[in-house]
Amino acid sequence: MNQEEELLTLFKNVNDFIPIFQALADSERLLILLKLFYAGSKGKNVTELSGKTRLSRPAVSHHLKVLKAARIINSRKDGTQVYYSLDAKDKIAKIENLVNVLLQHLKTIDANQDEVIEDAALESLVAKARDMIKSA
């Protein structure tokens, strides 16, 4: 694979994780995730998640919506209650794979120090990758 193809693949792989990284970039959401982690497959509802925290029920609901949109958590209805549980094992494995891809790319760059790609060329590749993602 040439360097341009590798960069396009790398950008696409990283781009797929942007919603996950954005969802994880908030300390309150991380607290909710930890609570869900320790709740196991049973999960917790909004009342249980907002109890003993400084977050209101609407704030917890908002954070759950963000986490669900990033597909980090699942929900199931039990009567009138909605229970949320962690759905991150697959995501964590994918993030681990992404980190390995990034590390491999860094090794390739180190091995090919004489093949410098200028900023304008990188910006062109990113634009090309964005177009590919939009059309997919």
Side-chain angles (χ1 to χ4, degrees):
M1 181 182 308
N2 71 32
Q3 201 167 11
E4 180 177 335
E5 291 170 340
E6 188 174 320
L7 282 169
L8 288 172
T9 301
L10 178 68
F11 185 84
K12 182 176 181 333
N13 286 335
V14 172
N15 194 67
D16 291 342
F17 287 92
I18 289 174
I20 295 168
F21 292 143
Q22 288 172 332
L24 296 176
D26 183 282
S27 61
E28 300 298 342
R29 284 194 284 275
L30 289 175
L31 174 61
I32 290 169
L33 282 175
L34 285 172
K35 288 182 175 192
L36 292 176
F37 179 81
Y38 287 106
S41 60
K42 176 184 150 198
K44 289 188 179 250
N45 64 26
V46 173
T47 302
E48 294 169 324
L49 290 167
S50 61
K52 298 181 185 176
T53 68
R54 63 183 189 87
L55 295 176
S56 66
R57 286 179 53 137
V60 169
S61 292
H62 168 74
H63 288 301
L64 289 168
K65 182 179 176 183
V66 172
L67 292 168
K68 193 169 179 183
R71 298 180 179 182
I72 297 172
I73 62 171
N74 288 323
S75 64
R76 67 173 170 75
K77 198 161 188 168
D78 186 5
T80 60
Q81 295 293 314
V82 178
Y83 288 87
Y84 298 89
S85 59
L86 198 60
D87 182 27
K89 288 181 184 177
D90 184 48
K91 299 285 187 291
I92 291 169
K94 288 182 179 181
I95 291 170
E96 180 182 26
N97 183 52
L98 174 64
V99 169
N100 289 330
V101 168
L102 289 168
L103 287 170
Q104 185 58 45
H105 187 71
L106 289 173
K107 288 177 185 176
T108 301
I109 290 171
D110 285 344
N112 299 312
Q113 292 258 332
D114 55 329
E115 296 180 33
V116 176
I117 298 180
E118 299 296 325
D119 287 350
L122 283 173
E123 290 171 16
S124 175
L125 284 172
V126 167
K128 186 176 180 179
R130 285 185 181 136
D131 290 342
M132 287 172 50
I133 291 166
K134 285 179 187 176
S135 65

